[in-house]
């Protein structure tokens, strides 16, 4: 089992970011689809992908892809798969997630039952037994059907990749760590002389992800994954990939990150999260209103996820907030780049300026736009 196909799933709108990450990590034959990125690799790439990918939701082993119009076809195709190459005699193998869209086989419970039965029959051939206790390592199986095409996967991550381990307490409307990392990546900010500021930082997720990107801290280096219990991946592979990740961290580069929020309790939570993430040296926090934002640097990058209608404020309050934010950016940060994510459709009108670019993203299932305003540098647009 030298070569395998891996799938990194992603939030809609982030596929190209995850694709670029996979290419940067050296994965081969990288292909992009709606909600997922596929690439070729080996079992050693399971640790590598889980530990290094910042913007993906989970990493799966792709076990098969086929068309099925009847349950008999589904059964036969599932049974053809070499499950015994992954699942040991005592392995736990729940069919834990099924989706079916525009397919003749639409009953999720029936798809689960047929899939489970087919896997059991396959494993019976290998292990010569009639019953499996399933008291060993976990191999959670995901089935995704669309237009009668079934993709069959095994989850290698366990908890989603956004669970970095540093966010002990959530605020009222948190942004996922994977989304926060994507917002920073889309800004092209990587540290150096230009500062980064989030004037409505909440519990600090954007700040932390920015610091981890600037320092090249692998997001999954300090957490565990469900596939660490799999016999097909040598324990030493996990150790070596983590050691390599730690050796690549960059503490030479200048990093200036500033965050503020009007709520004192929220700032204290941010402080705890930042400390837990180990990036307190990179981030300066203050409890203050965004209207008091003042920055000495002539150029920099503002990234924020402010309150919006579906979250915390009514329309009148949202428009006032965005109008004031626009005034602050234009008057006090005229040469800066700023990046704002919101679900409010009339943001540009309220902000008072059309964005250089905007991108559709889904934050917590809510359709949003990421408004990108490029600053000036030597008379040219700068990101």
């Amino acid at each position: 089992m030298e070569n395998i196909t891996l799938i990194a799933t992603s939030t809609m709108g982030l596929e190209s970011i995850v694709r670029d990450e996979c290419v940067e990590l050296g994965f081969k034959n990288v292909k992009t689809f709606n909600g997922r990125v596929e690439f070729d690799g080996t079992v050693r790439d399971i640790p590598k992908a889980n530990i290094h990918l910042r913007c993906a939701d989970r990493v799966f082993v792709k076990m098969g892809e086929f068309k099925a119009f009847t349950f008999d076809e589904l059964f036969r195709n599932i049974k053809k798969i070499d499950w015994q190459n992954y699942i040991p005699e005592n392995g736990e193998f729940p069919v834990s997630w099924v989706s079916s869209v525009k397919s003749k086989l639409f009953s999720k419970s029936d798809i689960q039952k047929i899939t489970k039965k087919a896997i059991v029959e396959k494993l019976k051939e290998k292990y010569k037994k009639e019953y499996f206790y399933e008291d060993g390592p976990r191999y959670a199986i995901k089935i995704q059907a669309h237009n009668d095409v079934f993709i069959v996967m095994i989850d290698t991550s366990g908890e989603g990749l956004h669970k970095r381990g540093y966010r002990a307490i959530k605020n009222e409307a948190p942004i996922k760590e994977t989304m926060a990392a994507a917002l920073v990546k889309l800004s092209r900010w990587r540290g150096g002389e230009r500062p980064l500021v989030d004037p409505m930082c909440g519990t600090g997720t954007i700040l932390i992800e920015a610091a981890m990107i600037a320092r090249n801290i692998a997001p999954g280096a300090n957490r565990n994954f469900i596939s660490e219990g799999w016999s097909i991946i040598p324990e030493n592979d996990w150790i070596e990939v983590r050691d390599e990740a730690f050796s690549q961290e960059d503490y030479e580069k200048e990093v200036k990150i500033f965050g503020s929020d009007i709520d004192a309790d929220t700032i204290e939570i941010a402080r705890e999260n930042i400390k837990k993430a180990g990036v307190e040296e990179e981030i300066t926090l203050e409890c203050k209103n965004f209207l008091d934002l003042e920055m000495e640097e002539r150029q920099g990058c503002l990234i924020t996820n402010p309150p919006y209608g579906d979250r915390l404020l009514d329309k009148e309050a949202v428009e006032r907030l965005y109008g004031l934010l626009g005034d602050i950016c234009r008057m006090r940060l005229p040469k800066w780049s700023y990046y704002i994510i919101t679900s409010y459709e009339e943001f540009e009108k309220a902000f008072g300026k059309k964005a250089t670019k905007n991108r559709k993203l889904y934050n917590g299932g809510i359709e949003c736009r990421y408004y990108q305003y490029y600053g000036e540098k030597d008379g040219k647009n700068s990101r």
Side-chain angles (χ1 to χ4, degrees):
M1 192 177 55
E2 293 183 1
N3 297 314
I4 60 174
T5 299
L6 294 172
I7 294 176
T9 56
S10 80
T11 300
M12 295 293 286
L14 297 187
E15 295 93 341
S16 64
I17 308 299
V18 175
R19 176 202 64 206
D20 292 347
E21 286 191 280
C22 290
V23 171
E24 288 169 11
L25 288 169
F27 298 138
K28 304 300 181 186
N29 196 25
V30 180
K31 298 177 181 177
T32 308
F33 304 88
N34 285 338
R36 73 184 195 277
V37 175
E38 296 188 11
F39 53 95
D40 295 339
T42 66
V43 291
R44 185 183 174 88
D45 290 320
I46 293 174
K48 187 175 181 181
N50 276 296
I51 287 170
H52 284 280
L53 286 175
R54 297 185 190 278
C55 304
D57 290 334
R58 277 185 171 82
V59 177
F60 294 85
V61 177
K62 184 178 182 180
M63 299 300 292
E65 182 174 354
F66 52 82
K67 280 196 172 186
F69 302 97
T70 68
F71 285 115
D72 284 342
E73 288 179 311
L74 176 64
F75 181 89
R76 288 196 300 271
N77 280 294
I78 293 290
K79 193 179 175 186
K80 284 179 186 176
I81 296 170
D82 292 327
W83 296 102
Q84 72 280 0
N85 289 346
Y86 288 85
I87 303 173
E89 189 173 345
N90 68 336
E92 180 188 2
F93 51 101
V95 183
S96 59
W97 195 92
V98 172
S99 74
S100 180
V101 179
K102 298 179 181 177
S103 298
K104 289 183 174 61
L105 303 181
F106 58 84
S107 169
K108 295 180 183 179
S109 60
D110 287 334
I111 292 170
Q112 281 180 305
K113 290 173 187 174
I114 294 296
T115 299
K116 183 76 173 185
K117 183 179 178 182
I119 297 171
V120 168
E121 292 302 313
K122 183 72 171 188
L123 295 180
K124 280 182 180 180
E125 295 176 358
K126 166 67 176 177
Y127 297 116
K128 311 300 181 186
K129 60 189 295 185
E130 290 299 311
Y131 184 80
F132 296 92
Y133 287 97
E134 299 192 44
D135 56 359
R138 185 176 173 88
Y139 300 80
I141 294 154
K142 177 177 180 177
I143 308 286
Q144 193 171 48
H146 187 261
N147 288 331
D148 302 308
V149 176
F150 285 73
I151 298 175
V152 185
M153 302 168 267
I154 301 179
D155 181 14
T156 74
S157 302
E159 285 195 308
L161 297 185
H162 69 283
K163 296 288 186 73
R164 317 286 209 218
Y166 62 72
R167 190 160 70 182
I169 307 173
K170 296 180 181 178
N171 66 337
E172 188 174 352
I175 188 169
K176 268 189 177 182
E177 294 88 332
T178 45
M179 177 61 73
L183 300 185
V184 177
K185 279 186 162 286
L186 284 167
S187 78
R188 299 291 191 264
W189 183 88
R190 298 293 181 270
E193 293 183 5
R194 285 198 311 152
L196 181 146
V197 63
D198 181 353
M200 289 172 267
C201 70
T203 54
T205 308
I206 291 174
L207 306 176
I208 293 168
E209 292 298 322
M212 292 176 72
I213 287 170
R215 292 290 183 225
N216 200 33
I217 298 170
N222 293 303
R223 56 158 284 184
N224 296 112
F225 304 92
I226 197 72
S227 52
E228 289 187 60
W230 295 5
S231 60
I232 62 166
I233 308 174
E235 183 181 352
N236 206 48
D237 281 1
W238 290 97
I239 294 170
E240 288 179 0
V241 172
R242 281 195 172 92
D243 285 347
E244 184 179 12
F246 292 137
S247 72
Q248 291 173 348
E249 292 177 2
D250 177 9
Y251 290 94
E252 299 300 318
K253 182 192 301 179
E254 183 178 14
V255 177
K256 297 185 290 185
I257 301 173
F258 302 90
S260 59
D261 199 278
I262 196 170
D263 186 80
D265 291 338
T266 299
I267 282 291
E268 284 309 306
I269 295 170
R271 206 178 301 280
E272 286 299 312
N273 289 344
I274 289 165
K275 184 177 180 181
K276 196 169 184 182
V279 290
E280 61 265 41
E281 295 298 319
E282 287 73 24
I283 300 170
T284 301
L285 279 183
E286 286 186 274
C287 180
K288 67 180 182 182
N289 194 309
F290 79 93
L291 295 174
D292 298 324
L293 178 66
E294 297 277 0
M295 300 299 297
E296 294 180 359
E297 290 83 358
R298 181 173 175 270
Q299 294 169 337
C301 182
L302 182 150
I303 305 176
T304 194
N305 173 37
Y308 43 78
D310 289 333
R311 278 175 57 192
L312 303 173
L313 302 174
D314 59 32
K315 181 177 180 180
E316 185 178 342
V318 165
E319 289 191 347
R320 175 171 167 76
L321 184 149
Y322 291 161
L324 291 169
L325 179 61
D327 292 341
I328 294 292
C329 288
R330 286 187 295 276
M331 291 189 294
R332 300 182 193 171
L333 309 172
K335 305 296 184 183
W336 280 50
S337 297
Y338 13 98
Y339 302 82
I340 299 118
I341 184 170
T342 176
S343 69
Y344 189 60
E345 294 181 357
E346 298 180 29
F347 170 80
E348 289 170 306
K349 181 179 177 183
F351 189 76
K353 184 178 181 181
K354 186 173 176 60
T356 311
K357 287 178 67 177
N358 77 73
R359 185 186 188 111
K360 185 192 292 186
L361 298 173
Y362 288 85
N363 182 22
I366 300 170
E367 183 178 320
C368 298
R369 293 278 174 177
Y370 190 39
Y371 295 94
Q372 304 165 58
Y373 295 85
Y374 300 165
E376 294 181 13
K377 184 176 181 181
D378 300 325
K380 298 178 182 179
N381 282 347
S382 169
R383 300 180 70 171

